[in-house]
Amino acid sequence: FRYNLSRMTPADVQIIVVDDVQSMRIQVKEILRSCGFEKIRSASSGLEALRMMNESAAHLLLCDWHMAPMSGLELLKEIRGKDQIKDTVFLMLTAEGTKDRVIE
């Protein structure tokens, strides 16, 4: 699943928003839609997002760090370990601000 985001329009980019808080998923999706993105799916857990990626990969994941039973960091590690989806652009959304967490 190789692609070049610079050659895609926002309407072409497939996105998955992952957060265990429904109101956050809704807010992020609204912001993305206001920027012209149309193909937006959402998942309420890392496990659900991983299942979605295995069924139909996205170009971009926006993911909360703190979720259970699979955290955003655990999801990132799972995705990076799978050849089919390892190049997916992954943005972690978190309130974490400590240097050690950012480095992690």
Coordinates of all heavy atoms in Angstrom, one line a residue:
F1 N 0.9 -1.2 0.0 CA 0.0 0.0 0.0 C 0.9 1.2 0.0 O 1.1 1.9 1.0 CB -0.9 0.0 1.2 CG -2.0 1.0 1.2 CD1 -3.0 1.0 0.3 CD2 -2.0 2.0 2.2 CE1 -4.0 1.9 0.3 CE2 -2.9 3.0 2.2 CZ -4.0 2.9 1.3
R2 N 1.4 1.5 -1.1 CA 2.3 2.7 -1.3 C 1.6 3.8 -2.0 O 0.8 3.6 -2.9 CB 3.6 2.3 -2.1 CG 4.3 1.1 -1.5 CD 5.7 1.4 -1.2 NE 6.5 0.3 -0.8 CZ 6.7 0.0 0.5 NH1 6.3 0.8 1.4 NH2 7.4 -1.1 0.8
Y3 N 1.8 5.0 -1.6 CA 1.1 6.2 -2.1 C 2.0 7.4 -2.0 O 2.9 7.4 -1.2 CB -0.2 6.4 -1.5 CG -0.1 6.4 0.0 CD1 0.2 7.5 0.7 CD2 -0.3 5.2 0.7 CE1 0.3 7.5 2.1 CE2 -0.1 5.2 2.1 CZ 0.2 6.3 2.8 OH 0.3 6.3 4.1
N4 N 1.6 8.5 -2.6 CA 2.3 9.7 -2.5 C 1.2 10.8 -2.1 O 0.5 11.2 -3.0 CB 3.0 10.1 -3.8 CG 3.8 11.4 -3.7 OD1 3.6 12.2 -2.8 ND2 4.7 11.5 -4.6
L5 N 1.2 11.1 -0.9 CA 0.1 12.1 -0.4 C 0.2 13.4 -1.1 O -0.8 14.1 -1.3 CB 0.2 12.3 1.1 CG -0.3 11.1 2.0 CD1 -0.1 11.5 3.5 CD2 -1.7 10.8 1.7
S6 N 1.4 13.8 -1.5 CA 1.6 15.1 -2.2 C 0.8 15.2 -3.5 O 0.6 16.3 -4.0 CB 3.0 15.5 -2.4 OG 3.7 14.6 -3.3
R7 N 0.5 14.0 -4.1 CA -0.2 14.0 -5.4 C -1.7 13.8 -5.2 O -2.4 13.7 -6.2 CB 0.4 12.9 -6.3 CG 1.8 13.3 -6.7 CD 2.4 12.3 -7.6 NE 3.7 12.6 -8.0 CZ 4.5 11.9 -8.7 NH1 4.1 10.7 -9.2 NH2 5.7 12.3 -9.0
M8 N -2.1 13.7 -4.0 CA -3.5 13.4 -3.8 C -4.3 14.7 -3.3 O -3.7 15.6 -2.7 CB -3.7 12.4 -2.6 CG -3.0 11.1 -3.0 SD -3.1 9.9 -1.6 CE -4.7 9.3 -1.8
T9 N -5.5 14.8 -3.7 CA -6.3 15.9 -3.2 C -6.9 15.4 -1.8 O -7.0 14.2 -1.5 CB -7.5 16.2 -4.1 OG1 -8.4 15.1 -4.1 CG2 -7.0 16.5 -5.5
P10 N -7.3 16.4 -1.0 CA -7.9 16.0 0.3 C -9.1 15.0 0.1 O -9.3 14.1 1.0 CB -8.4 17.3 0.9 CG -7.4 18.3 0.4 CD -7.2 17.8 -1.1
A11 N -9.9 15.2 -0.9 CA -11.0 14.3 -1.1 C -10.6 12.9 -1.4 O -11.4 11.9 -1.2 CB -11.9 14.8 -2.3
D12 N -9.4 12.6 -1.8 CA -8.9 11.3 -2.1 C -8.3 10.6 -0.9 O -8.1 9.3 -0.9 CB -7.8 11.3 -3.2 CG -8.3 11.9 -4.5 OD1 -9.5 11.6 -4.9 OD2 -7.5 12.6 -5.2
V13 N -7.9 11.3 0.1 CA -7.2 10.7 1.2 C -8.1 10.0 2.2 O -9.1 10.5 2.6 CB -6.4 11.8 2.0 CG1 -5.7 11.2 3.3 CG2 -5.4 12.6 1.2
Q14 N -7.8 8.7 2.4 CA -8.6 7.9 3.3 C -8.0 8.0 4.8 O -6.8 7.8 5.0 CB -8.6 6.5 2.9 CG -9.2 6.3 1.5 CD -9.2 4.9 1.0 OE1 -9.3 3.9 1.8 NE2 -9.0 4.7 -0.3
I15 N -8.9 8.4 5.7 CA -8.4 8.7 7.1 C -9.2 7.8 8.1 O -10.4 7.6 7.9 CB -8.6 10.2 7.4 CG1 -7.9 11.1 6.4 CG2 -8.2 10.5 8.8 CD1 -8.2 12.5 6.5
I16 N -8.5 7.4 9.1 CA -9.2 6.8 10.2 C -8.9 7.6 11.5 O -7.7 7.8 11.8 CB -8.8 5.3 10.5 CG1 -9.1 4.5 9.2 CG2 -9.4 4.7 11.7 CD1 -8.7 3.0 9.3
V17 N -9.9 8.1 12.2 CA -9.7 8.8 13.4 C -10.0 7.8 14.6 O -11.0 7.1 14.6 CB -10.7 10.0 13.5 CG1 -10.7 10.6 14.9 CG2 -10.5 10.9 12.4
V18 N -9.0 7.7 15.5 CA -9.1 6.7 16.5 C -9.1 7.4 17.9 O -8.1 8.0 18.2 CB -7.9 5.7 16.5 CG1 -8.1 4.5 17.4 CG2 -7.7 5.2 15.0
D19 N -10.2 7.2 18.6 CA -10.2 7.8 20.0 C -11.3 7.1 20.7 O -12.4 6.8 20.1 CB -10.5 9.3 19.9 CG -10.2 10.0 21.2 OD1 -10.6 9.6 22.3 OD2 -9.4 11.0 21.1
D20 N -11.1 6.8 22.0 CA -12.2 6.2 22.8 C -13.3 7.1 23.3 O -14.3 6.7 23.8 CB -11.6 5.4 23.9 CG -10.7 6.2 24.9 OD1 -10.3 7.4 24.5 OD2 -10.4 5.8 26.0
V21 N -13.1 8.4 23.0 CA -14.1 9.4 23.4 C -14.8 9.8 22.1 O -14.2 10.5 21.3 CB -13.4 10.6 24.1 CG1 -14.5 11.6 24.5 CG2 -12.7 10.1 25.4
Q22 N -16.1 9.5 22.1 CA -16.9 9.8 20.9 C -16.9 11.3 20.5 O -16.8 11.7 19.4 CB -18.3 9.3 21.1 CG -19.2 9.6 19.9 CD -20.6 9.1 20.0 OE1 -21.1 8.8 21.1 NE2 -21.3 9.0 18.9
S23 N -17.0 12.2 21.5 CA -17.0 13.6 21.2 C -15.7 14.1 20.5 O -15.7 14.9 19.7 CB -17.3 14.4 22.5 OG -16.3 14.3 23.4
M24 N -14.6 13.5 20.9 CA -13.3 13.8 20.3 C -13.3 13.3 18.8 O -12.8 14.0 17.9 CB -12.2 13.2 21.1 CG -11.9 13.9 22.4 SD -11.6 15.7 22.3 CE -10.1 15.7 21.4
R25 N -13.8 12.1 18.6 CA -13.9 11.6 17.2 C -14.7 12.5 16.3 O -14.3 12.9 15.2 CB -14.4 10.2 17.2 CG -13.5 9.2 17.8 CD -14.0 7.7 17.5 NE -15.4 7.5 17.8 CZ -15.9 7.0 18.9 NH1 -15.0 6.7 19.9 NH2 -17.1 6.7 19.1
I26 N -15.8 13.0 16.9 CA -16.7 13.9 16.1 C -16.0 15.2 15.8 O -16.1 15.7 14.7 CB -18.0 14.1 16.9 CG1 -18.9 12.8 16.9 CG2 -18.9 15.2 16.3 CD1 -20.0 12.8 17.9
Q27 N -15.4 15.8 16.8 CA -14.7 17.1 16.6 C -13.6 17.0 15.6 O -13.5 17.8 14.7 CB -14.1 17.6 17.9 CG -15.1 18.2 18.9 CD -14.4 18.8 20.1 OE1 -13.6 18.1 20.8 NE2 -14.6 20.0 20.4
V28 N -12.8 15.9 15.7 CA -11.7 15.8 14.7 C -12.2 15.6 13.3 O -11.7 16.1 12.3 CB -10.7 14.6 15.1 CG1 -9.7 14.3 14.0 CG2 -10.0 14.9 16.5
K29 N -13.3 14.8 13.2 CA -13.9 14.5 11.9 C -14.5 15.8 11.3 O -14.3 16.1 10.1 CB -15.0 13.5 12.0 CG -14.4 12.1 12.1 CD -15.5 11.0 12.5 CE -16.4 10.8 11.3 NZ -17.4 9.7 11.5
E30 N -15.1 16.7 12.1 CA -15.6 18.0 11.7 C -14.5 18.9 11.2 O -14.6 19.5 10.1 CB -16.4 18.6 12.8 CG -17.8 18.0 13.0 CD -18.5 18.6 14.2 OE1 -18.1 19.6 14.7 OE2 -19.6 18.1 14.5
I31 N -13.4 18.9 11.9 CA -12.2 19.7 11.5 C -11.7 19.2 10.1 O -11.4 20.0 9.2 CB -11.1 19.7 12.6 CG1 -11.6 20.5 13.8 CG2 -9.8 20.3 12.0 CD1 -10.7 20.3 15.0
L32 N -11.6 17.9 10.0 CA -11.1 17.3 8.7 C -12.0 17.6 7.6 O -11.5 18.0 6.5 CB -10.9 15.8 8.9 CG -9.7 15.4 9.8 CD1 -9.8 13.9 10.1 CD2 -8.4 15.8 9.2
R33 N -13.3 17.5 7.8 CA -14.3 17.8 6.7 C -14.2 19.3 6.3 O -14.3 19.6 5.1 CB -15.7 17.4 7.2 CG -15.9 16.0 7.2 CD -17.4 15.6 7.2 NE -17.6 14.2 7.1 CZ -17.8 13.4 8.2 NH1 -17.9 13.9 9.4 NH2 -17.9 12.1 8.0
S34 N -14.0 20.2 7.3 CA -13.9 21.6 7.0 C -12.6 21.9 6.1 O -12.6 22.9 5.5 CB -13.9 22.4 8.2 OG -12.7 22.3 8.9
C35 N -11.7 21.0 6.2 CA -10.4 21.1 5.4 C -10.5 20.4 4.0 O -9.6 20.4 3.2 CB -9.2 20.6 6.1 SG -8.8 21.5 7.6
G36 N -11.7 19.8 3.7 CA -11.9 19.2 2.4 C -11.8 17.7 2.4 O -11.9 17.1 1.3
F37 N -11.4 17.1 3.5 CA -11.3 15.6 3.6 C -12.7 15.0 3.6 O -13.6 15.5 4.3 CB -10.5 15.2 4.8 CG -9.1 15.6 4.7 CD1 -8.6 16.8 5.4 CD2 -8.2 14.9 3.9 CE1 -7.3 17.2 5.3 CE2 -6.8 15.4 3.8 CZ -6.4 16.5 4.5
E38 N -12.9 13.9 2.9 CA -14.3 13.3 2.8 C -14.3 11.9 3.2 O -15.3 11.4 3.7 CB -14.8 13.4 1.3 CG -14.9 14.8 0.8 CD -15.2 14.9 -0.7 OE1 -15.4 13.9 -1.3 OE2 -15.3 16.0 -1.2
K39 N -13.2 11.2 3.0 CA -13.2 9.7 3.3 C -12.7 9.5 4.7 O -11.5 9.2 4.9 CB -12.4 9.0 2.2 CG -13.0 9.1 0.9 CD -12.1 8.5 -0.2 CE -12.7 8.7 -1.5 NZ -11.9 8.2 -2.6
I40 N -13.5 9.7 5.7 CA -13.1 9.6 7.1 C -13.9 8.5 7.8 O -15.2 8.6 7.8 CB -13.3 11.0 7.8 CG1 -12.7 12.1 7.0 CG2 -12.8 10.9 9.2 CD1 -13.2 13.5 7.4
R41 N -13.2 7.6 8.3 CA -13.9 6.6 9.2 C -13.4 6.8 10.6 O -12.4 7.5 10.8 CB -13.4 5.1 8.7 CG -13.9 4.8 7.3 CD -13.4 3.5 6.9 NE -12.0 3.5 6.5 CZ -11.2 2.5 6.4 NH1 -11.7 1.2 6.6 NH2 -10.0 2.6 6.0
S42 N -14.1 6.2 11.5 CA -13.6 6.3 12.9 C -13.7 5.0 13.6 O -14.4 4.1 13.3 CB -14.5 7.4 13.7 OG -15.8 6.9 13.7
A43 N -12.8 4.9 14.7 CA -12.7 3.7 15.5 C -12.6 4.1 16.9 O -12.0 5.1 17.3 CB -11.5 2.9 15.1
S44 N -13.3 3.4 17.8 CA -13.3 3.7 19.2 C -12.2 3.0 20.0 O -12.1 3.2 21.2 CB -14.7 3.4 19.8 OG -14.9 2.0 19.7
S45 N -11.4 2.2 19.4 CA -10.3 1.6 20.1 C -9.2 1.3 19.1 O -9.4 1.2 17.9 CB -10.8 0.3 20.7 OG -11.0 -0.7 19.7
G46 N -8.0 1.0 19.6 CA -6.9 0.6 18.8 C -7.2 -0.7 18.1 O -6.8 -0.9 17.0
L47 N -7.8 -1.7 18.8 CA -8.1 -3.0 18.2 C -9.1 -2.8 17.0 O -8.9 -3.5 16.0 CB -8.8 -3.9 19.3 CG -7.8 -4.4 20.4 CD1 -8.6 -5.1 21.5 CD2 -6.7 -5.2 19.8
E48 N -10.1 -1.9 17.2 CA -11.0 -1.7 16.1 C -10.3 -1.1 14.9 O -10.5 -1.5 13.7 CB -12.2 -0.8 16.5 CG -13.2 -0.6 15.5 CD -14.3 0.4 15.9 OE1 -14.3 0.9 17.1 OE2 -15.2 0.6 15.1
A49 N -9.4 -0.1 15.2 CA -8.6 0.5 14.1 C -7.7 -0.5 13.4 O -7.6 -0.5 12.1 CB -7.8 1.7 14.6
L50 N -7.1 -1.4 14.1 CA -6.2 -2.4 13.5 C -7.1 -3.3 12.6 O -6.6 -3.6 11.5 CB -5.5 -3.2 14.6 CG -4.5 -4.2 14.1 CD1 -3.4 -3.5 13.3 CD2 -3.8 -4.9 15.3
R51 N -8.2 -3.7 13.1 CA -9.1 -4.6 12.2 C -9.5 -3.8 11.0 O -9.4 -4.4 9.9 CB -10.4 -4.9 13.0 CG -11.3 -5.8 12.2 CD -12.7 -6.0 13.0 NE -13.3 -4.8 13.4 CZ -14.0 -3.9 12.6 NH1 -14.1 -4.1 11.3 NH2 -14.5 -2.8 13.1
M52 N -9.8 -2.5 11.1 CA -10.2 -1.7 9.9 C -9.0 -1.6 8.9 O -9.2 -1.8 7.7 CB -10.6 -0.3 10.4 CG -11.9 -0.3 11.1 SD -12.3 1.3 11.9 CE -12.8 2.2 10.4
M53 N -7.8 -1.4 9.5 CA -6.6 -1.3 8.6 C -6.3 -2.6 7.9 O -5.9 -2.6 6.7 CB -5.4 -0.9 9.4 CG -5.4 0.6 9.8 SD -5.3 1.7 8.5 CE -3.6 1.4 8.0
N54 N -6.6 -3.7 8.5 CA -6.3 -5.0 7.9 C -7.3 -5.3 6.8 O -7.0 -6.0 5.9 CB -6.3 -6.1 9.0 CG -5.1 -6.1 9.8 OD1 -4.0 -5.8 9.3 ND2 -5.2 -6.5 11.1
E55 N -8.6 -4.8 7.0 CA -9.6 -5.0 6.0 C -9.5 -4.0 4.8 O -9.7 -4.4 3.7 CB -11.0 -4.9 6.6 CG -11.3 -6.0 7.6 CD -12.6 -5.7 8.4 OE1 -13.3 -4.7 8.1 OE2 -12.9 -6.5 9.2
S56 N -9.2 -2.8 5.1 CA -9.2 -1.7 4.1 C -8.3 -0.6 4.6 O -8.8 0.3 5.4 CB -10.6 -1.2 3.8 OG -10.5 -0.1 2.9
A57 N -7.0 -0.6 4.2 CA -6.1 0.3 4.8 C -6.4 1.8 4.5 O -7.0 2.1 3.5 CB -4.7 0.0 4.3
A58 N -6.0 2.7 5.4 CA -6.2 4.1 5.2 C -4.8 4.7 4.9 O -3.8 4.1 5.1 CB -6.8 4.7 6.5
H59 N -4.8 5.9 4.4 CA -3.6 6.7 4.1 C -3.1 7.3 5.4 O -1.9 7.5 5.5 CB -3.8 7.8 3.0 CG -4.3 7.2 1.7 ND1 -5.6 7.5 1.3 CD2 -3.7 6.5 0.8 CE1 -5.7 6.9 0.1 NE2 -4.6 6.3 -0.2
L60 N -4.0 7.7 6.3 CA -3.6 8.5 7.4 C -4.4 8.0 8.6 O -5.6 7.8 8.5 CB -3.9 10.0 7.1 CG -3.9 10.9 8.3 CD1 -2.5 11.1 8.9 CD2 -4.4 12.3 7.8
L61 N -3.8 7.9 9.8 CA -4.4 7.6 11.0 C -4.1 8.7 12.0 O -3.0 9.2 12.1 CB -3.9 6.3 11.7 CG -4.7 5.1 11.4 CD1 -4.0 4.2 10.4 CD2 -4.9 4.3 12.7
L62 N -5.2 9.2 12.6 CA -5.1 10.2 13.7 C -5.6 9.5 14.9 O -6.7 9.1 15.0 CB -6.0 11.4 13.4 CG -5.6 12.3 12.2 CD1 -6.7 13.3 11.9 CD2 -4.3 13.0 12.4
C63 N -4.7 9.3 15.9 CA -4.9 8.4 17.0 C -4.6 9.0 18.3 O -3.6 9.6 18.5 CB -4.1 7.2 16.8 SG -4.4 5.9 17.9
D64 N -5.5 8.8 19.3 CA -5.3 9.1 20.7 C -4.3 8.2 21.3 O -4.2 7.0 20.9 CB -6.6 9.0 21.4 CG -6.5 9.4 22.9 OD1 -5.6 10.2 23.2 OD2 -7.3 8.9 23.7
W65 N -3.5 8.6 22.2 CA -2.5 7.8 22.8 C -3.1 6.9 23.9 O -2.9 5.7 24.0 CB -1.4 8.7 23.5 CG -0.3 8.0 24.1 CD1 -0.3 6.9 24.9 CD2 1.1 8.4 24.0 NE1 1.0 6.5 25.3 CE2 1.9 7.4 24.8 CE3 1.8 9.4 23.3 CZ2 3.2 7.5 24.9 CZ3 3.2 9.4 23.5 CH2 3.9 8.5 24.2
H66 N -3.9 7.5 24.8 CA -4.5 6.8 25.9 C -5.8 6.2 25.6 O -6.8 6.8 25.6 CB -4.6 7.7 27.1 CG -3.3 8.3 27.6 ND1 -2.4 7.5 28.3 CD2 -2.7 9.5 27.4 CE1 -1.3 8.2 28.5 NE2 -1.5 9.4 28.0
M67 N -5.8 4.9 25.4 CA -7.0 4.1 25.1 C -6.7 2.7 25.7 O -5.6 2.3 25.9 CB -7.3 3.9 23.6 CG -7.6 5.2 22.9 SD -7.9 5.0 21.2 CE -6.3 4.4 20.6
A68 N -7.8 2.0 25.9 CA -7.7 0.6 26.4 C -8.6 -0.3 25.5 O -9.6 0.3 24.9 CB -8.1 0.5 27.8
P69 N -8.4 -1.5 25.2 CA -7.3 -2.3 25.8 C -6.0 -2.1 25.0 O -4.9 -2.6 25.4 CB -7.8 -3.7 25.6 CG -8.7 -3.7 24.4 CD -9.3 -2.3 24.5
M70 N -6.0 -1.4 23.9 CA -4.8 -1.2 23.1 C -4.5 0.3 23.0 O -5.4 1.0 22.5 CB -4.9 -1.8 21.7 CG -3.7 -1.5 20.8 SD -3.9 -2.1 19.1 CE -3.5 -3.8 19.3
S71 N -3.4 0.8 23.5 CA -3.1 2.2 23.4 C -2.7 2.6 22.0 O -2.4 1.8 21.1 CB -1.9 2.5 24.4 OG -0.7 2.0 23.8
G72 N -2.7 3.9 21.8 CA -2.2 4.4 20.5 C -0.8 4.0 20.2 O -0.5 3.7 19.0
L73 N 0.1 4.0 21.1 CA 1.4 3.6 20.9 C 1.5 2.1 20.5 O 2.2 1.7 19.6 CB 2.3 3.8 22.2 CG 3.8 3.6 22.0 CD1 4.4 4.5 20.9 CD2 4.5 3.9 23.3
E74 N 0.7 1.3 21.2 CA 0.7 -0.2 20.8 C 0.1 -0.3 19.4 O 0.6 -1.2 18.7 CB -0.2 -0.9 21.8 CG 0.4 -1.0 23.2 CD -0.5 -1.5 24.3 OE1 -1.8 -1.2 24.2 OE2 -0.1 -2.2 25.2
L75 N -0.9 0.4 19.0 CA -1.4 0.4 17.7 C -0.3 0.8 16.7 O -0.2 0.1 15.6 CB -2.6 1.3 17.5 CG -3.2 1.5 16.1 CD1 -3.7 0.1 15.6 CD2 -4.4 2.5 16.1
L76 N 0.4 1.8 17.0 CA 1.5 2.3 16.1 C 2.5 1.2 15.9 O 2.9 0.9 14.7 CB 2.1 3.5 16.6 CG 3.4 4.0 15.9 CD1 3.0 4.4 14.4 CD2 4.0 5.2 16.6
K77 N 2.9 0.5 16.9 CA 3.9 -0.6 16.8 C 3.3 -1.8 16.0 O 4.0 -2.4 15.2 CB 4.3 -1.1 18.2 CG 5.1 0.0 19.0 CD 5.4 -0.5 20.4 CE 6.2 0.6 21.1 NZ 6.5 0.2 22.5
E78 N 2.0 -2.1 16.2 CA 1.4 -3.1 15.4 C 1.4 -2.8 13.9 O 1.7 -3.6 13.1 CB 0.0 -3.4 15.9 CG -0.2 -4.1 17.2 CD 0.2 -5.6 17.0 OE1 -0.1 -6.2 16.0 OE2 0.7 -6.2 18.0
I79 N 1.1 -1.6 13.6 CA 1.0 -1.1 12.2 C 2.4 -1.1 11.6 O 2.6 -1.6 10.5 CB 0.3 0.3 12.1 CG1 -1.2 0.1 12.3 CG2 0.6 0.9 10.7 CD1 -2.0 1.4 12.4
R80 N 3.4 -0.6 12.3 CA 4.8 -0.6 11.8 C 5.3 -2.0 11.6 O 6.2 -2.2 10.8 CB 5.7 0.2 12.7 CG 5.3 1.7 12.7 CD 5.6 2.3 11.4 NE 5.3 3.8 11.4 CZ 4.2 4.3 10.8 NH1 3.4 3.6 10.2 NH2 4.0 5.6 10.9
G81 N 4.7 -3.0 12.3 CA 5.2 -4.4 12.1 C 4.6 -5.2 11.0 O 4.9 -6.3 10.8
K82 N 3.6 -4.6 10.3 CA 2.9 -5.3 9.2 C 3.3 -4.6 7.9 O 3.1 -3.5 7.6 CB 1.4 -5.2 9.4 CG 0.9 -5.9 10.6 CD -0.6 -5.7 10.7 CE -1.1 -6.5 11.9 NZ -1.2 -7.9 11.7
D83 N 3.9 -5.5 7.0 CA 4.5 -5.0 5.7 C 3.4 -4.2 4.9 O 3.7 -3.2 4.3 CB 5.0 -6.1 4.9 CG 6.4 -6.6 5.4 OD1 7.1 -5.8 6.1 OD2 6.8 -7.7 5.1
Q84 N 2.2 -4.7 4.9 CA 1.1 -4.2 4.0 C 0.8 -2.7 4.4 O 0.3 -1.9 3.6 CB -0.1 -5.0 4.1 CG 0.0 -6.4 3.5 CD -0.2 -6.4 2.0 OE1 0.8 -6.5 1.3 NE2 -1.4 -6.4 1.5
I85 N 0.9 -2.4 5.7 CA 0.4 -1.1 6.2 C 1.5 -0.3 7.0 O 1.2 0.8 7.5 CB -0.9 -1.3 7.1 CG1 -0.6 -2.2 8.3 CG2 -2.0 -1.8 6.3 CD1 -1.7 -2.4 9.3
K86 N 2.7 -0.8 7.0 CA 3.7 -0.1 7.8 C 4.1 1.3 7.4 O 4.6 2.1 8.2 CB 5.0 -1.0 7.8 CG 5.7 -1.0 6.5 CD 7.0 -1.8 6.5 CE 7.7 -1.8 5.2 NZ 8.9 -2.7 5.2
D87 N 3.8 1.7 6.1 CA 4.1 3.0 5.7 C 2.9 4.0 5.9 O 3.0 5.2 5.4 CB 4.5 3.0 4.2 CG 5.8 2.2 4.0 OD1 6.6 2.3 4.8 OD2 5.9 1.5 2.9
T88 N 1.9 3.6 6.5 CA 0.7 4.5 6.8 C 1.2 5.7 7.6 O 1.9 5.6 8.6 CB -0.4 3.8 7.6 OG1 -0.8 2.6 6.8 CG2 -1.6 4.6 7.9
V89 N 0.8 6.9 7.2 CA 1.1 8.1 8.0 C 0.3 8.0 9.3 O -0.9 7.8 9.3 CB 0.7 9.4 7.2 CG1 1.0 10.6 8.0 CG2 1.5 9.4 5.9
F90 N 0.9 8.2 10.4 CA 0.3 8.1 11.7 C 0.6 9.3 12.6 O 1.8 9.6 12.8 CB 1.0 6.8 12.4 CG 0.2 6.3 13.6 CD1 -0.5 5.1 13.5 CD2 0.2 7.0 14.8 CE1 -1.2 4.6 14.6 CE2 -0.4 6.5 15.9 CZ -1.2 5.3 15.8
L91 N -0.4 10.0 13.0 CA -0.3 11.2 13.8 C -0.9 10.8 15.2 O -2.1 10.5 15.3 CB -1.0 12.4 13.2 CG -0.4 12.9 11.9 CD1 -1.3 14.1 11.4 CD2 1.0 13.3 12.1
M92 N -0.1 11.0 16.2 CA -0.6 10.7 17.6 C -1.2 12.0 18.2 O -0.5 13.0 18.2 CB 0.6 10.2 18.4 CG 0.2 9.7 19.8 SD -0.5 8.1 19.7 CE 0.9 7.1 19.3
L93 N -2.4 11.9 18.7 CA -3.0 13.0 19.4 C -2.9 12.7 20.9 O -3.4 11.7 21.3 CB -4.5 13.1 19.0 CG -4.8 13.2 17.5 CD1 -6.3 13.1 17.2 CD2 -4.1 14.4 16.9
T94 N -2.3 13.6 21.6 CA -2.1 13.4 23.0 C -1.9 14.7 23.8 O -1.4 15.7 23.2 CB -1.0 12.4 23.3 OG1 -0.9 12.2 24.7 CG2 0.4 13.0 22.8
A95 N -2.2 14.7 25.0 CA -1.9 15.8 25.9 C -0.6 15.6 26.6 O -0.1 16.4 27.3 CB -3.0 16.0 26.9
E96 N 0.1 14.5 26.3 CA 1.4 14.2 26.9 C 2.4 15.2 26.5 O 2.5 15.6 25.3 CB 1.9 12.8 26.4 CG 1.2 11.6 27.0 CD 1.5 11.4 28.4 OE1 2.5 11.9 29.0 OE2 0.8 10.6 29.0
G97 N 3.1 15.7 27.4 CA 4.1 16.8 27.1 C 5.5 16.5 27.6 O 6.4 17.3 27.3
T98 N 5.7 15.4 28.3 CA 7.0 15.2 28.9 C 7.9 14.7 27.8 O 7.5 14.1 26.8 CB 7.0 14.1 30.0 OG1 6.6 12.9 29.4 CG2 6.1 14.5 31.1
K99 N 9.2 15.1 27.9 CA 10.2 14.8 26.9 C 10.3 13.3 26.6 O 10.3 12.8 25.5 CB 11.6 15.3 27.3 CG 12.6 15.1 26.3 CD 14.0 15.7 26.7 CE 15.0 15.5 25.7 NZ 16.3 16.1 26.1
D100 N 10.3 12.5 27.7 CA 10.4 11.1 27.6 C 9.2 10.5 26.8 O 9.4 9.6 25.9 CB 10.4 10.4 28.9 CG 11.7 10.6 29.7 OD1 12.7 11.0 29.0 OD2 11.7 10.5 30.9
R101 N 8.0 11.0 27.0 CA 6.8 10.5 26.3 C 6.9 10.9 24.8 O 6.6 10.1 23.9 CB 5.5 11.0 26.9 CG 5.1 10.4 28.1 CD 4.9 8.9 27.9 NE 4.1 8.4 29.0 CZ 3.5 7.2 29.1 NH1 3.7 6.4 28.0 NH2 2.9 6.8 30.1
V102 N 7.3 12.1 24.5 CA 7.4 12.5 23.1 C 8.5 11.7 22.4 O 8.2 11.3 21.2 CB 7.7 14.0 23.0 CG1 8.0 14.4 21.6 CG2 6.6 14.9 23.6
I103 N 9.6 11.4 23.0 CA 10.6 10.6 22.4 C 10.1 9.2 22.2 O 10.4 8.6 21.1 CB 11.9 10.6 23.3 CG1 12.6 11.9 23.2 CG2 12.9 9.5 22.8 CD1 13.7 12.1 24.2
E104 N 9.4 8.7 23.1 CA 8.8 7.3 23.0 C 7.9 7.2 21.7 O 7.9 6.3 21.0 CB 8.0 7.0 24.2 CG 7.5 5.5 24.2 CD 6.7 5.2 25.5 OE1 6.5 6.1 26.3 OE2 6.4 4.1 25.7

